[in-house]
Amino acid sequence: YFTKKKEEDPTFYYKFLVDDENKVKCLFWTDPRSIRYYQEYGVCVTFDTTYLTNKYHMPFAPFAGITGHDLTCIFDCALISDETIETFKWLFQAFLEAVGGKQPKSIMIDQDGVMRSLIAYIFTEANHRSCVFHIKYKAEIKCGRCMDKDNLREELSDITDNSLTKQEFETLWQQMINKHEIQHIKYFQGIYATRDR
């Protein structure tokens, strides 16, 4: 890989990874303002690779957070050619290098198993959390028509978004499962098993 060091040009930092044919496989970049935002607001970071809107069909992978004024800010960005362990390892290490090694306290990702295995390995100080948006989105895809019956969609949103304590969540979750008779649905079993995330 090649890196443009911050000392050479303090206005921009980038790094890219090439394949065996010397073609760009991954591109990572950030700037001083974004790094400053991370230093101030990088306690909780979200990371998502679900965007495929560029002409190269490479997933866009932003690291984002929330400022003290409740505004979304981008800390770093990348275009990646695939979603393999090697690529995510390179990307997460590039992120830490760009921000001076400062680890987030919490990192939210989708439910991707490849990323999950690397979070504990690279972000050793961070708690891994699953993104509630992705949990609900995947429920729509994986559970199909059962989400339409008797306000299940609304109940799931209310429980995941508004439960204030573990006890409240546990009670409401069991009521929802029993009321809608969805104990047999594997997706609900899976997200309940990983509820601590």
Side-chain angles (χ1 to χ4, degrees):
Y1 61 84
F2 300 91
T3 306
K4 186 169 187 180
K5 297 290 184 186
K6 288 180 273 188
E7 304 85 54
E8 295 172 12
D9 180 358
T11 61
F12 201 68
Y13 175 82
Y14 66 88
K15 188 171 195 166
F16 56 96
L17 180 67
V18 294
D19 63 16
D20 295 337
E21 298 174 3
N22 220 24
K23 293 180 183 174
V24 174
K25 182 178 175 185
C26 303
L27 175 64
F28 171 88
W29 70 95
T30 189
D31 60 55
R33 175 184 281 179
S34 296
I35 291 171
R36 191 170 57 251
Y37 276 144
Y38 179 76
Q39 296 304 325
E40 293 179 31
Y41 307 113
V43 173
C44 181
V45 173
T46 63
F47 177 73
D48 192 359
T49 59
T50 57
Y51 310 103
L52 288 169
T53 56
N54 57 76
K55 71 179 182 177
Y56 301 106
H57 301 287
M58 296 175 76
F60 175 63
F63 291 87
I66 304 292
T67 70
H69 300 287
D70 203 27
L71 301 172
T72 301
C73 60
I74 303 295
F75 302 132
D76 309 282
C77 299
L79 290 172
I80 56 177
S81 61
D82 56 46
E83 298 183 67
T84 62
I85 289 175
E86 175 190 285
T87 298
F88 285 128
K89 184 177 179 183
W90 175 86
L91 180 57
F92 293 161
Q93 289 171 336
F95 170 82
L96 285 176
E97 182 181 314
V99 298
K102 179 183 175 188
Q103 298 228 358
K105 297 290 183 211
S106 182
I107 185 164
M108 283 193 298
I109 62 169
D110 63 17
Q111 295 165 297
D112 184 275
V114 173
M115 278 192 282
R116 191 178 326 127
S117 65
L118 282 173
I119 295 288
Y121 176 72
I122 294 177
F123 296 106
T124 57
E125 299 172 23
N127 290 313
H128 164 222
R129 300 286 180 238
S130 296
C131 175
V132 174
F133 169 82
H134 285 101
I135 289 170
K136 291 189 272 189
Y137 176 74
K138 286 184 180 178
E140 293 287 337
I141 293 170
K142 294 182 182 254
C143 301
R145 285 181 269 157
C146 92
M147 293 300 292
D148 291 329
K149 68 180 201 180
D150 299 325
N151 298 321
L152 176 58
R153 181 179 294 106
E154 291 78 13
E155 279 186 58
L156 177 62
S157 286
D158 186 46
I159 292 167
T160 57
D161 295 349
N162 300 319
S163 292
L164 298 177
T165 65
K166 284 184 177 183
Q167 179 64 35
E168 181 182 13
F169 173 83
E170 294 287 341
T171 301
L172 293 173
W173 184 269
Q174 290 307 319
Q175 288 173 358
M176 177 187 75
I177 295 294
N178 294 333
K179 174 184 173 184
H180 297 284
E181 299 178 347
I182 53 176
Q183 301 88 338
H184 64 285
I185 297 178
K186 288 184 181 180
Y187 182 74
F188 285 105
Q189 294 169 1
I191 60 174
Y192 183 75
T194 59
R195 66 193 176 280
D196 286 340
R197 270 190 247 130

